[in-house]
Amino acid sequence: MNVLTTARLSLAHSTPADLEDMLRLLGDPRVMEFYPEPLDRDGTAAWLLRNRERYEHHGYGIWTARLLGSGQFAGLIGLNPMRLSEREETALAYLLVPELWGHGLATEGAAACRDYALERLGLARIVSPVRPVNSRSVRVLERAGFVPHGRCLLAGFEHVVYVAGEKGELFKLQP
């Protein structure tokens, strides 16, 4: 089911047919550099199942991104419910295949998800925690209109929390 269309991307609900493309993405050490580790087939299948459950429980999730026209798999872009600094938040997530890095597609998808969350879903804000050393993601978020609004610890690493929409309480790194 197609959810969003941008100038160059189609974002749709992920299906089991996307497993091979997702495995290529989530199993790539370059893509997963700032995550605990790349995923194998079982890990990718479990991720896909959890994400499909998000569609049912929350009405949104992380969507499969394809290039308009060709239908080429571009990656995963969307919204992820998560607990962050003791609060329930909706986080922006995006991972693109390396051959499409540097073309503005992540920024395009991030801006579309920002607008979808704030305007269509009526959320007050969305967040995006990113490790400070991940300069590519920092640039994407800044270009998509997100601003840094504190820090948190996530998966054992310090993250800067970028926010779009209402800022609310500052995220503070817990000791």
Side-chain angles (χ1 to χ4, degrees):
M1 175 178 147
N2 193 49
V3 178
L4 289 172
T5 302
T6 70
R8 298 177 291 167
L9 294 170
S10 170
L11 304 181
H13 284 202
S14 300
T15 70
D18 296 317
L19 180 63
E20 291 304 318
D21 286 330
M22 288 182 176
L23 178 57
R24 184 169 55 95
L25 180 75
L26 299 175
D28 188 322
R30 297 169 296 172
V31 173
M32 301 299 284
E33 177 182 4
F34 299 104
Y35 289 86
E37 63 186 6
L39 299 181
D40 60 12
R41 178 175 294 282
D42 289 342
T44 300
W47 185 94
L48 176 60
L49 180 62
R50 281 191 311 275
N51 192 54
R52 290 178 53 79
E53 289 171 351
R54 288 183 193 112
Y55 300 151
E56 294 174 26
H57 295 295
H58 298 280
Y60 59 83
I62 301 171
W63 301 298
T64 295
R66 295 192 177 277
L67 296 179
L68 284 180
S70 71
Q72 174 189 342
F73 179 78
L76 298 166
I77 304 173
L79 303 169
N80 185 30
M82 68 183 309
R83 188 152 183 82
L84 192 62
S85 293
E86 304 303 318
R87 294 183 286 226
E88 296 300 322
E89 299 285 352
T90 299
L92 170 70
Y94 49 88
L95 293 170
L96 294 181
V97 294
E99 58 266 26
L100 295 177
W101 290 355
H103 298 283
L105 292 169
T107 300
E108 186 176 313
C113 289
R114 176 203 64 214
D115 293 347
Y116 182 85
L118 299 176
E119 296 167 12
R120 290 189 49 199
L121 295 178
L123 299 177
R125 71 175 180 183
I126 59 171
V127 302
S128 190
V130 62
R131 289 178 51 194
V133 295
N134 188 347
S135 58
R136 289 187 310 267
S137 276
V138 168
R139 281 192 305 276
V140 165
L141 292 168
E142 289 174 347
R143 288 179 181 150
F146 287 72
V147 295
H149 194 63
R151 296 179 177 267
C152 72
L153 195 62
L154 189 61
F157 293 97
E158 185 175 333
H159 287 66
V160 175
V161 181
Y162 283 78
V163 175
E166 295 177 13
K167 304 304 178 278
E169 187 178 334
L170 185 68
F171 289 88
K172 296 179 183 173
L173 192 60
Q174 302 297 314

